[in-house]
Amino acid sequence: MNAVLPSPTTIAALVKIGLLVGGLMTAAAYLVLLERWIAAWVQDRKGPNRVGIPLTNIRLFGLGQPLADGLKIILKEDFTPSHVDRVLYNAAPLLILAASLAIFAAIPFGSVLPPLGIPGLPDPVPFLVAPGLDVGVLWVFALSSIAVYGVLLGGWASNNKYGFLGGLRSSAQLVAYEIPLGLGLLGVVLAAGSLKLDRIMEAQATSGVWYAFAQPLGFIVFLVASFAEAARLPFDLPEAEQELVGGYHTEYSGIRLLLFLVAEFLHMITAAFLIVIMFLGGWHLWGVTGSAAEVSWAGALVRFAILSAKILGVIVFFMLVRWSWPRFRFDQLMNLAWKVMLPLGLANLVTVAVVEEYRPWLVERLGSSGAGWVALALPWGMFFVGWIVAGLLTPSGTDNRPIHTHGPLDAEQSLAEDLVEA
Amino acid sequence: MTGHSLLGAALPMVAAINWHSLFFLLFASLACGFALAVVFTTNVVRMALHLVLSLAATAGLFFLANAEFIGAMQLMIYVGGTLVLLVFGVMLTAQQPFVSIRTSARDQVLAGVAGAATLAVLLVAVLSVGRWGLPASGEVDAPTATPLGMALLGVRVDAAGGGHSGFLLPFEIVSVHLLVVLVGAAYLARAKRRRTPRPVDVLASADPPLAPRPAVAVPGGVTRGASRSALVGSGDAAGGGA
């Protein structure tokens, strides 16, 4: 019987997938509740606090709300308008959810477990669905760019002007912000010397310097671009409830709408994962988690808890930002991407390249601690220079006054004005 | 009991499946099927979507062949980059919803000739491969990203000292090509500013429709106009005019 079972590696991968998908879906449901609580807190009102255990009077601070919301939206009528392109209309939500879940194949959600003693299983066991994937960062990047299709096709297949506009805005925004996102990410890859996300975490744990401190400019660029990629509020033009009544999912209802909303939340969770893993040290915390080589059960649990806490912190930051900045206008959005974030990202990349190229030379001249300080000072100097230049040039500031160009008839107009003056 | 015996019968069958071949057949048939769908669909957005799926299935084939880097690049560049722009362009330029395209007979003949020529070349290449099968166990676990990156910069890790010079020259040629394309795109998409004549130039050129104006006779207007053109035209006249 044992011979016909799938290999332990396959079983381990399936268990990890089960844990991850279950955890992510539950987390998405409760993060919606958290978002509503934070929104209520920011707006000085009470959020959802009534739904508790069904059929009893126990309220539990409203912790039953996600269940009630989920049941409601699943049991709602799934209405398909008659004017849609049926195949694509049905495919779009599935596509976007599948892409946003598949991203997690390459994202580590903890450190490593000590060997379990099961023959055939690699030891130690990494908290990662596809540990053999050599190009984790590229995988994440590739699949996040596929998620555009869900939005684009959903908007187009709805055959609705609001949906179509939302889809167009979204695709332009996502394509534009993929470039600063990639530039921010390249700096980290260059410094860590690996495309594997677990290696990037290990590199930060080994040196003790998180890349947010070593590459402040890259961190800012990546943070802003991931807000735009997740279409969170300063960048939520694709949906823009006030202008587009929901944008690309205007025509969706019931469970298909739920798929879109869950996928959107997953984008935010992915962004939080990436920010923490690549810039905020992953599972590393000074003096608590120990070196990367140590493997123990307690250590694995502590690291998992630290990673989760950091991710929750970033998600709360996402939610607070939502109520702190107004939405950009489309030209401001594009100016920010192409005239601010792109040059800043390039400046960061060049700085990181210079630092990494001359690090051995610096170590030779100044000793390793002196070289470390120089390697920190240079990116921070670049950070302030970039900030000041971007602030002085204000490339994303816009002039709303109507543009007046002089046409031939304006000659008579100005001449008439001269006459009046004379 | 029957359930148990069924399970007992099903498990060996599951174990007997060659998963590699199964997934190869799956991805290959998806790629070919959607490629055919691109040809036979008339709706342009559906066409683009079928192309997306065909290329994504090709990426699956790359992953199956342990070429993770190429697979990820295929997904990122073709599926996630080029075709997003294509769909975007199609959506922007489609005049009415669900626009459809009909290919003329001449184009069909041309496409058939081009396709047959490509197929012939590919068939020759395929038939010249000596052995088709799974890679040997040593070749499977090699990481693909680093040797590829090194080879693109001119260092062949896989053929050290074998007289291989790497791919620096093709890499540079492609870079220059891309730069040319970028410059061209920027030139085509630049803001085309309409040249509008300034009031002074209009006065100076004195086009027939604008010429019979009463304002010319007024000394103040003429003086100001003259001083302006003097300022623009020659430096020594500027002082007197002002």
PDB file of all heavy atoms in Angstrom, chain B residues 190-228:
ATOM      1  N   ARG B 190       5.536  61.292 -29.214  1.00  0.00           N
ATOM      2  CA  ARG B 190       5.842  62.570 -28.577  1.00  0.00           C
ATOM      3  C   ARG B 190       4.649  63.513 -28.712  1.00  0.00           C
ATOM      4  O   ARG B 190       3.783  63.327 -29.570  1.00  0.00           O
ATOM      5  CB  ARG B 190       7.071  63.197 -29.223  1.00  0.00           C
ATOM      6  CG  ARG B 190       6.782  63.799 -30.578  1.00  0.00           C
ATOM      7  CD  ARG B 190       8.030  64.048 -31.360  1.00  0.00           C
ATOM      8  NE  ARG B 190       7.744  64.800 -32.566  1.00  0.00           N
ATOM      9  CZ  ARG B 190       7.245  64.284 -33.668  1.00  0.00           C
ATOM     10  NH1 ARG B 190       6.931  62.999 -33.713  1.00  0.00           N
ATOM     11  NH2 ARG B 190       7.017  65.032 -34.735  1.00  0.00           N
ATOM     12  N   ALA B 191       4.610  64.492 -27.855  1.00  0.00           N
ATOM     13  CA  ALA B 191       3.541  65.489 -27.937  1.00  0.00           C
ATOM     14  C   ALA B 191       3.790  66.345 -29.161  1.00  0.00           C
ATOM     15  O   ALA B 191       4.821  66.986 -29.275  1.00  0.00           O
ATOM     16  CB  ALA B 191       3.549  66.342 -26.673  1.00  0.00           C
ATOM     17  N   LYS B 192       2.863  66.304 -30.108  1.00  0.00           N
ATOM     18  CA  LYS B 192       3.046  67.089 -31.325  1.00  0.00           C
ATOM     19  C   LYS B 192       2.446  68.470 -31.100  1.00  0.00           C
ATOM     20  O   LYS B 192       1.244  68.647 -31.094  1.00  0.00           O
ATOM     21  CB  LYS B 192       2.372  66.379 -32.505  1.00  0.00           C
ATOM     22  CG  LYS B 192       3.029  65.044 -32.803  1.00  0.00           C
ATOM     23  CD  LYS B 192       2.232  64.249 -33.799  1.00  0.00           C
ATOM     24  CE  LYS B 192       2.773  62.846 -33.894  1.00  0.00           C
ATOM     25  NZ  LYS B 192       2.552  62.085 -32.634  1.00  0.00           N
ATOM     26  N   ARG B 193       3.336  69.445 -30.907  1.00  0.00           N
ATOM     27  CA  ARG B 193       2.853  70.797 -30.608  1.00  0.00           C
ATOM     28  C   ARG B 193       2.548  71.517 -31.910  1.00  0.00           C
ATOM     29  O   ARG B 193       3.395  71.589 -32.805  1.00  0.00           O
ATOM     30  CB  ARG B 193       3.911  71.551 -29.808  1.00  0.00           C
ATOM     31  CG  ARG B 193       3.391  72.841 -29.224  1.00  0.00           C
ATOM     32  CD  ARG B 193       4.370  73.366 -28.205  1.00  0.00           C
ATOM     33  NE  ARG B 193       4.474  72.488 -27.055  1.00  0.00           N
ATOM     34  CZ  ARG B 193       5.618  72.242 -26.434  1.00  0.00           C
ATOM     35  NH1 ARG B 193       6.723  72.769 -26.862  1.00  0.00           N
ATOM     36  NH2 ARG B 193       5.642  71.438 -25.394  1.00  0.00           N
ATOM     37  N   ARG B 194       1.326  72.002 -32.016  1.00  0.00           N
ATOM     38  CA  ARG B 194       0.954  72.729 -33.216  1.00  0.00           C
ATOM     39  C   ARG B 194       1.612  74.108 -33.157  1.00  0.00           C
ATOM     40  O   ARG B 194       1.519  74.819 -32.161  1.00  0.00           O
ATOM     41  CB  ARG B 194      -0.564  72.893 -33.259  1.00  0.00           C
ATOM     42  CG  ARG B 194      -1.112  73.261 -34.606  1.00  0.00           C
ATOM     43  CD  ARG B 194      -2.592  72.960 -34.640  1.00  0.00           C
ATOM     44  NE  ARG B 194      -3.277  73.602 -33.524  1.00  0.00           N
ATOM     45  CZ  ARG B 194      -3.801  74.823 -33.569  1.00  0.00           C
ATOM     46  NH1 ARG B 194      -3.729  75.521 -34.672  1.00  0.00           N
ATOM     47  NH2 ARG B 194      -4.411  75.328 -32.526  1.00  0.00           N
ATOM     48  N   ARG B 195       2.301  74.443 -34.224  1.00  0.00           N
ATOM     49  CA  ARG B 195       2.963  75.746 -34.219  1.00  0.00           C
ATOM     50  C   ARG B 195       1.941  76.820 -34.533  1.00  0.00           C
ATOM     51  O   ARG B 195       1.386  76.878 -35.627  1.00  0.00           O
ATOM     52  CB  ARG B 195       4.080  75.757 -35.256  1.00  0.00           C
ATOM     53  CG  ARG B 195       5.372  75.166 -34.740  1.00  0.00           C
ATOM     54  CD  ARG B 195       6.473  75.447 -35.710  1.00  0.00           C
ATOM     55  NE  ARG B 195       6.736  76.881 -35.791  1.00  0.00           N
ATOM     56  CZ  ARG B 195       7.636  77.487 -35.022  1.00  0.00           C
ATOM     57  NH1 ARG B 195       8.297  76.810 -34.134  1.00  0.00           N
ATOM     58  NH2 ARG B 195       7.859  78.769 -35.136  1.00  0.00           N
ATOM     59  N   THR B 196       1.691  77.647 -33.567  1.00  0.00           N
ATOM     60  CA  THR B 196       0.757  78.748 -33.815  1.00  0.00           C
ATOM     61  C   THR B 196       1.557  80.034 -33.878  1.00  0.00           C
ATOM     62  O   THR B 196       2.425  80.274 -33.030  1.00  0.00           O
ATOM     63  CB  THR B 196      -0.275  78.846 -32.683  1.00  0.00           C
ATOM     64  OG1 THR B 196       0.435  78.801 -31.452  1.00  0.00           O
ATOM     65  CG2 THR B 196      -1.261  77.716 -32.754  1.00  0.00           C
ATOM     66  N   PRO B 197       1.312  80.867 -34.895  1.00  0.00           N
ATOM     67  CA  PRO B 197       2.090  82.098 -35.025  1.00  0.00           C
ATOM     68  C   PRO B 197       1.787  83.067 -33.899  1.00  0.00           C
ATOM     69  O   PRO B 197       0.664  83.142 -33.421  1.00  0.00           O
ATOM     70  CB  PRO B 197       1.634  82.650 -36.373  1.00  0.00           C
ATOM     71  CG  PRO B 197       0.311  82.035 -36.615  1.00  0.00           C
ATOM     72  CD  PRO B 197       0.318  80.709 -35.943  1.00  0.00           C
ATOM     73  N   ARG B 198       2.810  83.761 -33.477  1.00  0.00           N
ATOM     74  CA  ARG B 198       2.595  84.778 -32.463  1.00  0.00           C
ATOM     75  C   ARG B 198       1.907  85.973 -33.126  1.00  0.00           C
ATOM     76  O   ARG B 198       1.970  86.145 -34.347  1.00  0.00           O
ATOM     77  CB  ARG B 198       3.942  85.223 -31.883  1.00  0.00           C
ATOM     78  CG  ARG B 198       4.616  84.140 -31.074  1.00  0.00           C
ATOM     79  CD  ARG B 198       6.026  84.541 -30.772  1.00  0.00           C
ATOM     80  NE  ARG B 198       6.745  84.880 -32.000  1.00  0.00           N
ATOM     81  CZ  ARG B 198       7.816  85.668 -32.034  1.00  0.00           C
ATOM     82  NH1 ARG B 198       8.245  86.220 -30.928  1.00  0.00           N
ATOM     83  NH2 ARG B 198       8.427  85.911 -33.164  1.00  0.00           N
ATOM     84  N   PRO B 199       1.268  86.805 -32.339  1.00  0.00           N
ATOM     85  CA  PRO B 199       0.559  87.965 -32.923  1.00  0.00           C
ATOM     86  C   PRO B 199       1.476  88.817 -33.776  1.00  0.00           C
ATOM     87  O   PRO B 199       1.083  89.313 -34.827  1.00  0.00           O
ATOM     88  CB  PRO B 199       0.081  88.726 -31.685  1.00  0.00           C
ATOM     89  CG  PRO B 199       0.030  87.726 -30.607  1.00  0.00           C
ATOM     90  CD  PRO B 199       1.061  86.686 -30.903  1.00  0.00           C
ATOM     91  N   VAL B 200       2.721  88.957 -33.341  1.00  0.00           N
ATOM     92  CA  VAL B 200       3.664  89.804 -34.069  1.00  0.00           C
ATOM     93  C   VAL B 200       3.914  89.246 -35.467  1.00  0.00           C
ATOM     94  O   VAL B 200       3.910  89.977 -36.469  1.00  0.00           O
ATOM     95  CB  VAL B 200       4.986  89.871 -33.286  1.00  0.00           C
ATOM     96  CG1 VAL B 200       5.970  90.743 -34.029  1.00  0.00           C
ATOM     97  CG2 VAL B 200       4.738  90.372 -31.890  1.00  0.00           C
ATOM     98  N   ASP B 201       4.087  87.920 -35.541  1.00  0.00           N
ATOM     99  CA  ASP B 201       4.346  87.305 -36.838  1.00  0.00           C
ATOM    100  C   ASP B 201       3.158  87.471 -37.767  1.00  0.00           C
ATOM    101  O   ASP B 201       3.311  87.651 -38.967  1.00  0.00           O
ATOM    102  CB  ASP B 201       4.632  85.803 -36.640  1.00  0.00           C
ATOM    103  CG  ASP B 201       5.872  85.605 -35.789  1.00  0.00           C
ATOM    104  OD1 ASP B 201       6.668  86.562 -35.729  1.00  0.00           O
ATOM    105  OD2 ASP B 201       6.017  84.528 -35.191  1.00  0.00           O
ATOM    106  N   VAL B 202       1.965  87.386 -37.170  1.00  0.00           N
ATOM    107  CA  VAL B 202       0.773  87.559 -37.995  1.00  0.00           C
ATOM    108  C   VAL B 202       0.759  88.946 -38.595  1.00  0.00           C
ATOM    109  O   VAL B 202       0.479  89.143 -39.781  1.00  0.00           O
ATOM    110  CB  VAL B 202      -0.491  87.311 -37.143  1.00  0.00           C
ATOM    111  CG1 VAL B 202      -1.723  87.655 -37.941  1.00  0.00           C
ATOM    112  CG2 VAL B 202      -0.521  85.881 -36.673  1.00  0.00           C
ATOM    113  N   LEU B 203       1.125  89.924 -37.785  1.00  0.00           N
ATOM    114  CA  LEU B 203       1.182  91.295 -38.275  1.00  0.00           C
ATOM    115  C   LEU B 203       2.212  91.419 -39.389  1.00  0.00           C
ATOM    116  O   LEU B 203       1.961  92.015 -40.433  1.00  0.00           O
ATOM    117  CB  LEU B 203       1.577  92.231 -37.138  1.00  0.00           C
ATOM    118  CG  LEU B 203       0.432  92.799 -36.317  1.00  0.00           C
ATOM    119  CD1 LEU B 203       0.981  93.743 -35.269  1.00  0.00           C
ATOM    120  CD2 LEU B 203      -0.540  93.524 -37.227  1.00  0.00           C
ATOM    121  N   ALA B 204       3.366  90.816 -39.167  1.00  0.00           N
ATOM    122  CA  ALA B 204       4.453  90.967 -40.118  1.00  0.00           C
ATOM    123  C   ALA B 204       4.128  90.302 -41.443  1.00  0.00           C
ATOM    124  O   ALA B 204       4.428  90.833 -42.502  1.00  0.00           O
ATOM    125  CB  ALA B 204       5.736  90.376 -39.521  1.00  0.00           C
ATOM    126  N   SER B 205       3.502  89.110 -41.371  1.00  0.00           N
ATOM    127  CA  SER B 205       3.234  88.403 -42.620  1.00  0.00           C
ATOM    128  C   SER B 205       2.086  89.049 -43.377  1.00  0.00           C
ATOM    129  O   SER B 205       2.041  88.988 -44.602  1.00  0.00           O
ATOM    130  CB  SER B 205       2.902  86.940 -42.316  1.00  0.00           C
ATOM    131  OG  SER B 205       1.647  86.875 -41.681  1.00  0.00           O
ATOM    132  N   ALA B 206       1.144  89.683 -42.655  1.00  0.00           N
ATOM    133  CA  ALA B 206       0.040  90.417 -43.286  1.00  0.00           C
ATOM    134  C   ALA B 206      -0.699  89.572 -44.294  1.00  0.00           C
ATOM    135  O   ALA B 206      -0.712  89.854 -45.486  1.00  0.00           O
ATOM    136  CB  ALA B 206       0.555  91.702 -43.930  1.00  0.00           C
ATOM    137  N   ASP B 207      -1.281  88.481 -43.819  1.00  0.00           N
ATOM    138  CA  ASP B 207      -2.107  87.646 -44.693  1.00  0.00           C
ATOM    139  C   ASP B 207      -3.303  88.448 -45.186  1.00  0.00           C
ATOM    140  O   ASP B 207      -3.822  89.306 -44.478  1.00  0.00           O
ATOM    141  CB  ASP B 207      -2.602  86.420 -43.894  1.00  0.00           C
ATOM    142  CG  ASP B 207      -1.467  85.440 -43.689  1.00  0.00           C
ATOM    143  OD1 ASP B 207      -0.507  85.492 -44.483  1.00  0.00           O
ATOM    144  OD2 ASP B 207      -1.525  84.675 -42.715  1.00  0.00           O
ATOM    145  N   PRO B 208      -3.765  88.126 -46.392  1.00  0.00           N
ATOM    146  CA  PRO B 208      -4.883  88.888 -46.951  1.00  0.00           C
ATOM    147  C   PRO B 208      -6.108  88.990 -46.039  1.00  0.00           C
ATOM    148  O   PRO B 208      -6.635  90.084 -45.886  1.00  0.00           O
ATOM    149  CB  PRO B 208      -5.209  88.120 -48.236  1.00  0.00           C
ATOM    150  CG  PRO B 208      -3.924  87.480 -48.611  1.00  0.00           C
ATOM    151  CD  PRO B 208      -3.177  87.210 -47.344  1.00  0.00           C
ATOM    152  N   PRO B 209      -6.545  87.915 -45.375  1.00  0.00           N
ATOM    153  CA  PRO B 209      -7.754  88.065 -44.564  1.00  0.00           C
ATOM    154  C   PRO B 209      -7.534  88.970 -43.365  1.00  0.00           C
ATOM    155  O   PRO B 209      -8.455  89.599 -42.887  1.00  0.00           O
ATOM    156  CB  PRO B 209      -8.063  86.640 -44.083  1.00  0.00           C
ATOM    157  CG  PRO B 209      -7.233  85.746 -44.904  1.00  0.00           C
ATOM    158  CD  PRO B 209      -6.081  86.536 -45.402  1.00  0.00           C
ATOM    159  N   LEU B 210      -6.286  89.047 -42.900  1.00  0.00           N
ATOM    160  CA  LEU B 210      -6.040  89.821 -41.705  1.00  0.00           C
ATOM    161  C   LEU B 210      -5.532  91.224 -42.029  1.00  0.00           C
ATOM    162  O   LEU B 210      -5.462  92.074 -41.162  1.00  0.00           O
ATOM    163  CB  LEU B 210      -4.995  89.114 -40.836  1.00  0.00           C
ATOM    164  CG  LEU B 210      -5.464  87.827 -40.186  1.00  0.00           C
ATOM    165  CD1 LEU B 210      -4.306  87.161 -39.473  1.00  0.00           C
ATOM    166  CD2 LEU B 210      -6.592  88.106 -39.211  1.00  0.00           C
ATOM    167  N   ALA B 211      -5.154  91.420 -43.279  1.00  0.00           N
ATOM    168  CA  ALA B 211      -4.472  92.667 -43.620  1.00  0.00           C
ATOM    169  C   ALA B 211      -5.337  93.922 -43.458  1.00  0.00           C
ATOM    170  O   ALA B 211      -4.892  94.862 -42.811  1.00  0.00           O
ATOM    171  CB  ALA B 211      -3.939  92.566 -45.044  1.00  0.00           C
ATOM    172  N   PRO B 212      -6.549  93.966 -44.010  1.00  0.00           N
ATOM    173  CA  PRO B 212      -7.289  95.240 -43.922  1.00  0.00           C
ATOM    174  C   PRO B 212      -7.842  95.472 -42.529  1.00  0.00           C
ATOM    175  O   PRO B 212      -9.012  95.262 -42.287  1.00  0.00           O
ATOM    176  CB  PRO B 212      -8.394  95.051 -44.953  1.00  0.00           C
ATOM    177  CG  PRO B 212      -8.633  93.584 -44.987  1.00  0.00           C
ATOM    178  CD  PRO B 212      -7.330  92.920 -44.686  1.00  0.00           C
ATOM    179  N   ARG B 213      -6.970  95.793 -41.639  1.00  0.00           N
ATOM    180  CA  ARG B 213      -7.428  96.021 -40.267  1.00  0.00           C
ATOM    181  C   ARG B 213      -7.244  97.494 -39.956  1.00  0.00           C
ATOM    182  O   ARG B 213      -6.230  98.112 -40.341  1.00  0.00           O
ATOM    183  CB  ARG B 213      -6.646  95.151 -39.302  1.00  0.00           C
ATOM    184  CG  ARG B 213      -5.160  95.419 -39.318  1.00  0.00           C
ATOM    185  CD  ARG B 213      -4.428  94.519 -38.362  1.00  0.00           C
ATOM    186  NE  ARG B 213      -4.333  93.159 -38.872  1.00  0.00           N
ATOM    187  CZ  ARG B 213      -4.677  92.111 -38.162  1.00  0.00           C
ATOM    188  NH1 ARG B 213      -5.177  92.269 -36.947  1.00  0.00           N
ATOM    189  NH2 ARG B 213      -4.531  90.914 -38.657  1.00  0.00           N
ATOM    190  N   PRO B 214      -8.172  98.065 -39.263  1.00  0.00           N
ATOM    191  CA  PRO B 214      -8.037  99.482 -38.918  1.00  0.00           C
ATOM    192  C   PRO B 214      -6.910  99.732 -37.932  1.00  0.00           C
ATOM    193  O   PRO B 214      -6.378 100.821 -37.868  1.00  0.00           O
ATOM    194  CB  PRO B 214      -9.396  99.816 -38.289  1.00  0.00           C
ATOM    195  CG  PRO B 214      -9.933  98.505 -37.823  1.00  0.00           C
ATOM    196  CD  PRO B 214      -9.413  97.483 -38.783  1.00  0.00           C
ATOM    197  N   ALA B 215      -6.543  98.668 -37.210  1.00  0.00           N
ATOM    198  CA  ALA B 215      -5.588  98.876 -36.126  1.00  0.00           C
ATOM    199  C   ALA B 215      -4.228  99.323 -36.632  1.00  0.00           C
ATOM    200  O   ALA B 215      -3.513 100.008 -35.931  1.00  0.00           O
ATOM    201  CB  ALA B 215      -5.435  97.582 -35.327  1.00  0.00           C
ATOM    202  N   VAL B 216      -3.875  98.928 -37.860  1.00  0.00           N
ATOM    203  CA  VAL B 216      -2.546  99.237 -38.381  1.00  0.00           C
ATOM    204  C   VAL B 216      -2.325 100.748 -38.442  1.00  0.00           C
ATOM    205  O   VAL B 216      -1.221 101.243 -38.233  1.00  0.00           O
ATOM    206  CB  VAL B 216      -2.384  98.603 -39.772  1.00  0.00           C
ATOM    207  CG1 VAL B 216      -1.017  98.895 -40.344  1.00  0.00           C
ATOM    208  CG2 VAL B 216      -2.615  97.107 -39.662  1.00  0.00           C
ATOM    209  N   ALA B 217      -3.420 101.437 -38.678  1.00  0.00           N
ATOM    210  CA  ALA B 217      -3.299 102.882 -38.816  1.00  0.00           C
ATOM    211  C   ALA B 217      -3.049 103.581 -37.486  1.00  0.00           C
ATOM    212  O   ALA B 217      -2.607 104.719 -37.456  1.00  0.00           O
ATOM    213  CB  ALA B 217      -4.576 103.438 -39.456  1.00  0.00           C
ATOM    214  N   VAL B 218      -3.352 102.868 -36.406  1.00  0.00           N
ATOM    215  CA  VAL B 218      -3.214 103.530 -35.099  1.00  0.00           C
ATOM    216  C   VAL B 218      -1.747 103.540 -34.692  1.00  0.00           C
ATOM    217  O   VAL B 218      -1.097 102.492 -34.681  1.00  0.00           O
ATOM    218  CB  VAL B 218      -4.062 102.772 -34.056  1.00  0.00           C
ATOM    219  CG1 VAL B 218      -3.877 103.402 -32.684  1.00  0.00           C
ATOM    220  CG2 VAL B 218      -5.515 102.812 -34.480  1.00  0.00           C
ATOM    221  N   PRO B 219      -1.186 104.682 -34.380  1.00  0.00           N
ATOM    222  CA  PRO B 219       0.254 104.759 -34.090  1.00  0.00           C
ATOM    223  C   PRO B 219       0.687 103.887 -32.917  1.00  0.00           C
ATOM    224  O   PRO B 219       1.707 103.224 -32.990  1.00  0.00           O
ATOM    225  CB  PRO B 219       0.458 106.248 -33.749  1.00  0.00           C
ATOM    226  CG  PRO B 219      -0.728 106.942 -34.317  1.00  0.00           C
ATOM    227  CD  PRO B 219      -1.862 105.983 -34.316  1.00  0.00           C
ATOM    228  N   GLY B 220      -0.124 103.848 -31.855  1.00  0.00           N
ATOM    229  CA  GLY B 220       0.290 103.106 -30.658  1.00  0.00           C
ATOM    230  C   GLY B 220       0.530 101.636 -30.957  1.00  0.00           C
ATOM    231  O   GLY B 220       1.558 101.077 -30.594  1.00  0.00           O
ATOM    232  N   GLY B 221      -0.445 101.057 -31.655  1.00  0.00           N
ATOM    233  CA  GLY B 221      -0.354  99.630 -31.954  1.00  0.00           C
ATOM    234  C   GLY B 221       0.861  99.327 -32.799  1.00  0.00           C
ATOM    235  O   GLY B 221       1.592  98.398 -32.509  1.00  0.00           O
ATOM    236  N   VAL B 222       1.061 100.128 -33.803  1.00  0.00           N
ATOM    237  CA  VAL B 222       2.174  99.872 -34.716  1.00  0.00           C
ATOM    238  C   VAL B 222       3.490  99.992 -33.971  1.00  0.00           C
ATOM    239  O   VAL B 222       4.380  99.166 -34.105  1.00  0.00           O
ATOM    240  CB  VAL B 222       2.121 100.853 -35.901  1.00  0.00           C
ATOM    241  CG1 VAL B 222       3.398 100.735 -36.713  1.00  0.00           C
ATOM    242  CG2 VAL B 222       0.907 100.575 -36.751  1.00  0.00           C
ATOM    243  N   THR B 223       3.590 100.995 -33.155  1.00  0.00           N
ATOM    244  CA  THR B 223       4.840 101.205 -32.420  1.00  0.00           C
ATOM    245  C   THR B 223       5.163  99.991 -31.555  1.00  0.00           C
ATOM    246  O   THR B 223       6.280  99.494 -31.533  1.00  0.00           O
ATOM    247  CB  THR B 223       4.724 102.450 -31.512  1.00  0.00           C
ATOM    248  OG1 THR B 223       4.127 103.479 -32.240  1.00  0.00           O
ATOM    249  CG2 THR B 223       6.084 102.837 -30.996  1.00  0.00           C
ATOM    250  N   ARG B 224       4.101  99.533 -30.873  1.00  0.00           N
ATOM    251  CA  ARG B 224       4.378  98.401 -29.975  1.00  0.00           C
ATOM    252  C   ARG B 224       4.754  97.159 -30.780  1.00  0.00           C
ATOM    253  O   ARG B 224       5.684  96.452 -30.427  1.00  0.00           O
ATOM    254  CB  ARG B 224       3.154  98.107 -29.102  1.00  0.00           C
ATOM    255  CG  ARG B 224       2.998  99.157 -28.028  1.00  0.00           C
ATOM    256  CD  ARG B 224       1.956  98.755 -27.031  1.00  0.00           C
ATOM    257  NE  ARG B 224       2.310  97.518 -26.352  1.00  0.00           N
ATOM    258  CZ  ARG B 224       1.572  97.009 -25.396  1.00  0.00           C
ATOM    259  NH1 ARG B 224       0.449  97.606 -25.046  1.00  0.00           N
ATOM    260  NH2 ARG B 224       1.953  95.893 -24.813  1.00  0.00           N
ATOM    261  N   GLY B 225       4.023  96.974 -31.878  1.00  0.00           N
ATOM    262  CA  GLY B 225       4.339  95.813 -32.713  1.00  0.00           C
ATOM    263  C   GLY B 225       5.751  95.909 -33.263  1.00  0.00           C
ATOM    264  O   GLY B 225       6.513  94.956 -33.225  1.00  0.00           O
ATOM    265  N   ALA B 226       6.106  97.099 -33.716  1.00  0.00           N
ATOM    266  CA  ALA B 226       7.428  97.283 -34.303  1.00  0.00           C
ATOM    267  C   ALA B 226       8.519  97.052 -33.265  1.00  0.00           C
ATOM    268  O   ALA B 226       9.532  96.405 -33.529  1.00  0.00           O
ATOM    269  CB  ALA B 226       7.545  98.703 -34.870  1.00  0.00           C
ATOM    270  N   SER B 227       8.272  97.548 -32.079  1.00  0.00           N
ATOM    271  CA  SER B 227       9.300  97.382 -31.061  1.00  0.00           C
ATOM    272  C   SER B 227       9.473  95.899 -30.731  1.00  0.00           C
ATOM    273  O   SER B 227      10.582  95.434 -30.508  1.00  0.00           O
ATOM    274  CB  SER B 227       8.947  98.156 -29.800  1.00  0.00           C
ATOM    275  OG  SER B 227       7.824  97.563 -29.171  1.00  0.00           O
ATOM    276  N   ARG B 228       8.347  95.182 -30.726  1.00  0.00           N
ATOM    277  CA  ARG B 228       8.455  93.763 -30.410  1.00  0.00           C
ATOM    278  C   ARG B 228       9.275  93.039 -31.474  1.00  0.00           C
ATOM    279  O   ARG B 228      10.195  92.294 -31.153  1.00  0.00           O
ATOM    280  CB  ARG B 228       7.072  93.124 -30.349  1.00  0.00           C
ATOM    281  CG  ARG B 228       6.432  93.252 -28.975  1.00  0.00           C
ATOM    282  CD  ARG B 228       5.180  92.427 -28.948  1.00  0.00           C
ATOM    283  NE  ARG B 228       4.176  93.098 -28.119  1.00  0.00           N
ATOM    284  CZ  ARG B 228       2.907  92.778 -28.170  1.00  0.00           C
ATOM    285  NH1 ARG B 228       2.473  91.867 -29.028  1.00  0.00           N
ATOM    286  NH2 ARG B 228       2.031  93.389 -27.401  1.00  0.00           N
TER     287      ARG B 228
END
